[in-house]
Amino acid sequence: MTDPQAIQPSALDQFPDRDPEETAEWQASLDAVAKAAGPHRAAYLMRRTLERAEGNGIALPKLLETDYVNTIPTAAEPSAPGDQEMERRITAWNRWNAAAMVTRGSKHGVGGHIATFASAAWLYETGFNHFFKGKEADGSGDQLYIQGHASPGIYARAFLDGRLTEQHLDNFRQEAGGDGLPSYPHPRRLPWLWEFPTVSMGLGPLSAIYQARFNRYLTNRGIKDVSASHVWAFLGDGEMDEPESTAALALASREGLDNLTFVINCNLQRLDGPVRANFKIVQELEAQFRGAGWNVVKSLWGSAWDELFQLDTTGALVRRLREVPDAQVQTYQTRGAAYIREDFFGKDPALAEMAKLLSDDKILECFHLSRGGHEARKVFAAYKAAVEFKGAPTVILAQTVKGHTLGEGFASKNANHQMKKLSVDEFKTMRDLLELPISDSQFVDGVVPYGHPGADSPEVRYLQERRAALGGPAPARRTHALAPLPAPADKTFASFDKGSGTQNVATTMAFVRLVKDLVRDKETGRRWVPIVPDEARTFGMESLFPSLGIYSPKGQTYEPVDRDQLMYYKEAKNGQILNEGITEAGSMADFIAASTAYSTHGEAMIPFYIFYSMFGWQRTADQMWQLGDQLGRGFLVGATAGRTTLTGEGLQHADGHSPVIAATNPAALSYDPAFAYEIAAIVKDGLRRMYGEATPGEDQNVFYYLTVYNEPMPQPAKPSAPGVDEGILKGLYRFNTAESAGVEVAAANAPRIQLLGSGTAIHWVLKAQRMLAEEWGVASDVWSATSWTELRRDALEADAALLRGEERQPYVRRALQGAEGPVLAVSDYMRQVPDQIAQWVEQDWSSLGADGFGLSDTREAARRHFGVDAESIVVAALAQLARRGEVKAAAVKEARERYGL
């Protein structure tokens, strides 16, 4: 039978062979090697030939996998600087205190993770001692994305250098008392230490890539030179299964982000068992990153393996290491020398002969202890190679043992992620292994003691000297005393107060026009960061392309197809717009980096990210929570908002619930403005609160979510009545009364109802106001509810104040006080959105909303389908009044029939 591989067409077959005889000679040589020395030798020669070709710049596909050995040979390793014995003792103290902290906390049932830091200790300690730049270094120092489950080790180091006390460690995961430590890196909970929240799997690596990219953006735009900053992301091999973990690898390579290093702790275990039981996660990750264009450095084996590799004259050891699946490697970790001799070495005659030269202790040292990620010299070599590599980001694949130094009960056990404590005897064994001067008498009543060599000990002095040389403590977050940004001119916002006259304008366009004016501001215009996921033309932003430019580190290396047009597609190295392509997750990562630049880099940037509203909170709510945790500031703009304004696009575009999700985020100030002047007022106050002169006691660490609509509608002038500005910001104000609206009601004592509308629904409410007056003799006042969520939060705060014995009335109750008749609230979102405030409204309450799935149809048909159009509002208003006996019940039936409901 013909070998199918022999007839597979090759890309080279498309080119004429200029020297078939020479080609045949090469092929014959390969055949001869395979026949004489075996296929493994032939494969070896081919790999080395391809590596030479790559090194010489010959355009060939790159090798995606290399042998299962260290990238940097032992002979090529640089000597690690510093006092290695001192660093070993420091690491030992940190290992001990991390385990002690979690074990002591387990008595209170708070849990914690021990095994992760135990495996990764040298990955962190080598960086802290020799690589991670602090805030006093050039630029802004380095940015560290710490693996969340390793936090006990970071706390232990902060304890050793005097930044934390024993009381802090004893309050790990016990924050209610005010002196505790959060479980994971949470800037909102511990804002002087943590910069980046990373425990939500996958968001750390994604954010790290966009942070490195934003660093280049700041430098290229001339905002601040942070070219000396390096971004380090510490990740788990299991975490790399998350789609966000690898979503932006190509971006990092494409833009040459050599200011970025991923350090993946390959302990081969995830929470329940092996990461790749029947395969090899290191090889898989190497192929994935190499294929994406990253520089890959593998640090797999410790120095104990050097002797074995020297004995491997046939390549049998390297071949065996490539073929053994990860789960079997874990098994070797827990078995004796006899088992390893039989199962690992016994599979190949050459290996069996090699094993005869090895003692049992040597075999156990190699297979139980010696990993590249557990030796400072191996880790230092990998880090040095990473920071010196230019032109591409680097990933370091460091192999470790999960639970290393914690004893046989922990190391490589499938359940070690859930194991929260060590026994006293296990601690004593660990103490002896780490050679720590802790006596048995210090274990009082079975409580594990913390260990500290003393504030003036050689270890602490060495640690602090190393950190001083690298620019101060790390990790650390800075709260810079930044001067408030000057407010843009009032006329920029006031121009929206007069309305649009006879012109119909969508609020999306009104927002874009406002931004155009703001980015021209001489003082703050350069600090705006427009972010859009490949929908700028949808939102009418293409006019910003030539004026602001789209950021690209390469500038524009081509002539755009529309260069002869006024609004041509302009890319520039100092471009201001971040146009991310079709990636809401990437755009949110951009937003987070920009929104926290005030802390990370001491530069206040004003990001606004505009997106299809359905694709914001629905797709990336986890990142929006990350944004709040990281204390980000800026404007999120949900365009084409509402369930019925973009119905032609269908169900997946019909947003009826984003404000519900936004309401769950304590840092999000969620607004659903109806008119252009409301948008201007909200943005103006947002700039004041987040970047300007905030009111004392007002939290600046918030972000704004505004919904805007693509439906062109008349934009009225701002009412001149008192309290409008306050109402816009607090969430509710009376837009008009039946009398001020000019709708005539025949009876002097006509029944009256209060109509509350938000966003685009205000226009159906206004139409219903006229219909109620003209067709049914009902007077109605119309209120604009700019934020149901802010009204609810204010009411909740009032309730809490009452519990403290303070008299405080919710704003919504105060605003509606004395308003005659019942209240009917209308929204283009599900009824749950306006119903947020129902319990604080003294009047009879009812609501209309777009509950259920969306559908494709005209706006009018969709609104009729959901029962939120003007006719439906009229019927609902009459029904509410009929229940009160203020109109005849027959009027409700008559209205339904008249309007075809």
Side-chain angles (χ1 to χ4, degrees):
M1 182 175 178
T2 304
D3 180 358
Q5 293 298 322
I7 59 174
Q8 288 293 319
S10 166
L12 295 177
D13 294 339
Q14 306 301 316
F15 301 97
D17 190 341
R18 294 185 299 180
D19 193 341
E21 184 176 348
E22 181 185 35
T23 304
E25 289 175 357
W26 275 79
Q27 292 172 335
S29 297
L30 182 63
D31 292 342
V33 171
K35 183 177 181 180
H40 297 300
R41 178 61 181 170
Y44 175 86
L45 292 176
M46 287 300 300
R47 286 199 301 273
R48 293 298 176 263
T49 302
L50 287 172
E51 288 172 355
R52 176 60 62 89
E54 181 180 332
N56 289 336
I58 299 173
L60 284 174
K62 290 186 178 181
L63 287 171
L64 295 186
E65 278 188 43
T66 60
D67 288 324
Y68 201 65
V69 297
N70 295 348
T71 302
I72 304 171
T74 301
E77 289 173 1
S79 297
D83 186 331
Q84 297 301 297
E85 173 57 24
M86 187 71 72
E87 292 177 16
R88 186 199 65 78
R89 296 204 300 270
I90 290 170
T91 304
W93 285 116
N94 292 338
R95 286 182 182 277
W96 176 272
N97 288 323
M101 176 187 0
V102 176
T103 298
R104 287 165 68 125
S106 69
K107 294 186 176 182
H108 304 287
V110 297
H113 299 283
I114 300 178
T116 295
F117 179 73
S119 69
W122 277 113
L123 301 180
Y124 290 106
E125 293 297 325
T126 302
F128 285 129
N129 287 330
H130 301 290
F131 290 94
F132 305 157
K133 296 187 287 292
K135 295 297 182 182
E136 303 303 325
D138 292 342
S140 304
D142 287 354
Q143 287 82 57
L144 308 180
Y145 288 77
I146 305 292
Q147 193 179 2
H149 294 148
S151 64
I154 309 306
Y155 290 141
R157 195 170 215 276
F159 168 65
L160 200 65
D161 74 7
R163 292 197 291 165
L164 292 176
T165 65
E166 286 193 14
Q167 182 179 354
H168 285 115
L169 300 192
D170 265 346
N171 286 331
F172 175 59
R173 291 194 171 193
Q174 299 174 73
E175 299 180 77
D179 200 23
L181 299 178
S183 53
Y184 301 126
H186 291 306
R188 186 169 286 276
R189 300 303 310 160
L190 200 62
W192 62 267
L193 181 72
W194 298 119
E195 277 195 289
F196 309 109
T198 51
V199 81
S200 190
M201 298 289 97
L203 299 191
L206 180 68
S207 294
I209 290 173
Y210 280 88
Q211 181 66 56
R213 195 280 197 91
F214 190 74
N215 289 358
R216 291 280 173 85
Y217 173 89
L218 284 179
T219 300
N220 288 338
R221 287 199 54 220
I223 301 292
K224 182 178 182 180
D225 184 358
V226 294
S227 56
S229 293
H230 200 88
V231 178
W232 300 81
F234 289 83
L235 318 167
D237 46 1
E239 181 180 2
M240 300 311 294
D241 283 349
E242 291 284 3
E244 294 89 349
S245 294
T246 56
L249 297 186
L251 167 72
S253 172
R254 185 168 64 245
E255 299 206 358
L257 298 181
D258 50 24
N259 61 338
L260 170 67
T261 297
F262 276 16
V263 181
I264 303 182
N265 178 16
C266 298
N267 55 37
L268 313 185
Q269 286 185 254
R270 53 189 179 198
L271 275 62
D272 289 333
V275 178
R276 292 290 184 271
N278 295 299
F279 307 94
K280 301 189 79 64
I281 185 60
V282 168
Q283 299 300 89
E284 179 181 318
L285 290 174
E286 178 184 27
Q288 192 169 16
F289 277 86
R290 277 178 163 264
W294 286 52
N295 176 44
V296 179
V297 177
K298 294 195 290 191
S299 183
L300 308 181
W301 308 111
S303 56
W305 283 83
D306 290 347
E307 179 183 343
L308 274 67
F309 288 123
Q310 290 172 0
L311 294 172
D312 184 29
T313 59
T314 65
L317 177 62
V318 174
R319 290 197 300 272
R320 183 69 178 133
L321 289 174
R322 282 178 60 88
E323 68 189 25
V324 175
D326 284 352
Q328 190 63 24
V329 173
Q330 300 295 84
T331 300
Y332 294 149
Q333 178 70 36
T334 62
R335 300 298 177 87
Y339 177 88
I340 298 172
R341 284 181 186 277
E342 178 182 352
D343 192 84
F344 182 83
F345 292 97
K347 301 294 185 182
D348 186 293
L351 289 180
E353 290 299 314
M354 178 191 296
K356 294 177 181 178
L357 304 175
L358 304 174
S359 67
D360 285 355
D361 287 345
K362 182 64 176 182
I363 289 175
L364 293 179
E365 180 185 13
C366 289
F367 283 85
H368 285 193
L369 301 173
S370 187
R371 300 291 187 273
H374 293 324
E375 295 188 13
R377 177 168 175 166
K378 303 290 185 184
V379 176
F380 180 87
Y383 285 9
K384 188 172 188 291
V387 297
E388 291 178 355
F389 190 86
K390 300 304 177 185
T394 294
V395 59
I396 295 170
L397 304 175
Q399 187 161 274
T400 66
V401 174
K402 194 166 186 177
H404 184 59
T405 73
L406 298 180
E408 294 182 359
F410 260 85
S412 291
K413 299 293 185 181
N414 281 340
N416 62 18
H417 191 81
Q418 278 71 37
M419 297 163 70
K420 312 297 183 187
K421 59 184 178 180
L422 296 174
S423 68
V424 169
D425 287 341
E426 286 172 324
F427 266 106
K428 290 179 179 179
T429 301
M430 181 182 178
R431 170 201 61 190
D432 296 340
L433 175 66
L434 298 177
E435 301 177 358
L436 290 173
I438 298 173
S439 65
D440 288 355
S441 63
Q442 291 178 260
F443 291 81
V444 180
D445 296 328
V447 176
V448 181
Y450 293 120
H452 200 293
D456 196 39
S457 65
E459 291 91 340
V460 172
R461 288 201 306 272
Y462 181 88
L463 182 154
Q464 293 175 342
E465 287 168 2
R466 290 306 309 140
R467 289 311 317 156
L470 288 166
R477 181 180 179 275
R478 281 290 173 85
T479 301
H480 297 270
L482 299 179
L485 294 182
D490 281 341
K491 65 179 181 180
T492 304
F493 306 100
S495 62
F496 291 85
D497 291 351
K498 61 184 179 182
S500 63
T502 58
Q503 183 182 7
N504 288 341
V505 176
T507 53
T508 298
M509 296 308 302
F511 176 81
V512 171
R513 183 192 137 192
L514 175 61
V515 168
K516 288 179 182 177
D517 292 341
L518 290 171
V519 296
R520 294 191 188 104
D521 184 85
K522 292 182 179 180
E523 297 289 339
T524 60
R526 65 196 290 262
R527 296 191 175 274
W528 282 86
V529 184
I531 303 168
V532 59
D534 199 36
E535 290 282 3
R537 298 182 193 277
T538 303
F539 308 134
M541 293 174 58
E542 65 268 32
S543 62
L544 297 178
F545 289 169
S547 58
L548 301 183
I550 300 166
Y551 172 74
S552 170
K554 290 184 176 294
Q556 193 153 37
T557 61
Y558 61 92
E559 182 177 355
V561 67
D562 54 359
R563 182 61 183 88
D564 57 341
Q565 298 178 17
L566 181 63
M567 293 184 289
Y568 70 97
Y569 195 82
K570 177 187 175 183
E571 296 188 81
K573 190 172 183 179
N574 64 346
Q576 193 164 350
I577 301 169
L578 292 173
N579 191 313
E580 288 307 338
I582 305 176
T583 168
E584 284 79 13
S587 299
M588 268 306 302
D590 261 337
F591 187 90
I592 292 170
S595 70
T596 54
Y598 73 92
S599 172
T600 309
H601 295 298
E603 295 288 344
M605 305 300 289
I606 313 171
F608 81 86
Y609 165 34
I610 187 168
F611 49 87
Y612 264 88
S613 64
M614 186 65 159
F615 303 153
W617 288 92
Q618 166 130 329
R619 289 192 179 185
T620 58
D622 196 11
Q623 286 178 284
M624 290 165 178
W625 195 269
Q626 176 191 5
L627 167 66
D629 195 357
Q630 201 167 317
L631 290 79
R633 305 169 184 173
F635 297 96
L636 296 176
V637 183
T640 60
R643 181 146 277 163
T644 70
T645 58
L646 195 69
T647 51
E649 297 285 354
L651 185 152
Q652 289 185 326
H653 288 64
D655 179 12
H657 55 277
S658 284
V660 177
I661 308 175
T664 66
N665 191 311
L669 276 62
S670 176
Y671 286 91
D672 188 23
F675 305 122
Y677 66 79
E678 294 176 351
I679 293 173
I682 294 165
V683 172
K684 178 182 179 181
D685 194 66
L687 290 173
R688 175 201 62 79
R689 176 170 178 172
M690 295 185 291
Y691 300 98
E693 298 284 356
T695 302
E698 197 172 36
D699 186 6
Q700 284 189 280
N701 299 316
V702 295
F703 62 93
Y704 283 67
Y705 174 60
L706 283 75
T707 54
V708 293
Y709 300 84
N710 69 326
E711 185 175 8
M713 299 295 286
Q715 296 298 324
K718 180 179 177 180
S720 58
V724 170
D725 287 326
E726 179 188 26
I728 291 173
L729 300 178
K730 287 188 174 295
L732 182 70
Y733 69 96
R734 181 152 42 197
F735 176 71
N736 69 22
T737 62
E739 293 75 18
S740 66
V743 290
E744 296 185 6
V745 182
N749 59 345
R752 185 177 288 265
I753 188 170
Q754 306 299 315
L755 301 178
L756 280 57
S758 65
T760 194
I762 200 81
H763 299 286
W764 326 326
V765 169
L766 289 169
K767 181 180 178 182
Q769 180 188 41
R770 294 193 301 272
M771 295 172 65
L772 283 167
E774 295 169 0
E775 300 180 30
W776 304 99
V778 172
S780 56
D781 302 335
V782 173
W783 299 70
S784 179
T786 54
S787 179
W788 310 102
T789 300
E790 288 306 298
L791 291 172
R792 174 179 173 79
R793 288 175 176 169
D794 172 81
L796 290 172
E797 289 174 6
D799 287 354
L802 285 174
L803 292 176
R804 298 191 299 267
E806 304 171 16
E807 288 294 329
R808 179 176 165 187
Q809 189 177 35
Y811 173 81
V812 63
R813 186 171 296 167
R814 180 158 46 92
L816 290 170
Q817 196 165 35
E820 184 182 347
V823 168
L824 174 60
V826 187
S827 167
D828 200 22
Y829 296 93
M830 56 197 303
R831 288 177 59 184
Q832 185 176 338
V833 176
D835 285 348
Q836 291 181 89
I837 66 169
Q839 72 184 82
W840 294 282
V841 174
E842 293 182 332
Q843 293 86 345
D844 291 342
W845 173 273
S846 66
S847 63
L848 295 175
D851 285 72
F853 287 110
L855 76 167
S856 297
D857 212 311
T858 64
R859 290 172 178 145
E860 293 75 15
R863 287 162 188 165
R864 175 58 57 90
H865 169 81
F866 287 111
V868 293
D869 60 353
E871 291 78 5
S872 299
I873 295 170
V874 169
V875 172
L878 293 174
Q880 200 172 2
L881 291 168
R883 286 193 294 271
R884 294 162 56 95
E886 297 180 20
V887 301
K888 295 179 179 180
V892 181
K893 182 175 182 291
E894 180 184 347
R896 281 202 302 267
E897 293 174 350
R898 180 185 300 182
Y899 302 137
L901 301 179

